[in-house]
Amino acid sequence: MSTTTNTPTPRRPLPPLMTVSDGAAERLRALYARGQEGKLLRISVKTKGCSGLSYDLGWVDAAGPGDETIHDNGVTVLVDRKATLFLIGTEMDYEVKAMSAGFTFRNPNEKGR
């Protein structure tokens, strides 16, 4: 008679929900210190066009019951709980180009852009 013991397979750690680059953290600190003092940046996703989703950023006074709080690189950002599955592993950055500047997202879950 043989007996086998099933040992649970160790789970690999999940990637962080979202990370904030040095450039994005610097820009957020500047925004928080000026006109958005006391507010928090909240990130969500919305349906856009026929190709999928877009990022929606807005200022809120406090975290809501459906928000995940991200503390990274010395800043705090909120993520709408409905957006978490779409944002796992995403890096938020801030880029300055010749004709534009803004927050960008490097999302390993994207299928197209």
Side-chain angles (χ1 to χ4, degrees):
M1 178 158 119
S2 100
T3 59
T4 57
T5 305
N6 290 337
T7 57
T9 305
R11 290 184 174 201
R12 64 185 170 101
L14 292 174
L17 173 57
M18 198 173 87
T19 58
V20 179
S21 73
D22 292 341
E26 183 179 323
R27 180 64 179 154
L28 279 171
R29 278 191 284 278
L31 291 170
Y32 285 155
R34 286 190 221 133
Q36 302 306 331
E37 188 171 1
K39 294 190 180 247
L40 294 168
L41 183 68
R42 182 174 187 267
I43 302 167
S44 59
V45 292
K46 291 193 175 191
T47 304
K48 183 175 182 181
C50 60
S51 64
L53 303 169
S54 67
Y55 301 102
D56 185 50
L57 285 71
W59 298 103
V60 296
D61 294 322
D67 289 335
E68 297 286 336
T69 304
I70 306 298
H71 301 286
D72 188 37
N73 217 344
V75 295
T76 301
V77 177
L78 303 176
V79 175
D80 177 6
R81 187 167 288 148
K82 295 176 203 162
T84 57
L85 288 176
F86 301 106
L87 295 176
I88 292 173
T90 296
E91 180 190 39
M92 179 180 181
D93 195 12
Y94 186 78
E95 293 181 352
V96 179
K97 297 180 182 177
M99 300 294 282
S100 66
F103 290 107
T104 59
F105 297 87
R106 287 186 203 92
N107 188 332
N109 306 306
E110 282 184 1
K111 303 264 190 277
R113 191 167 272 260

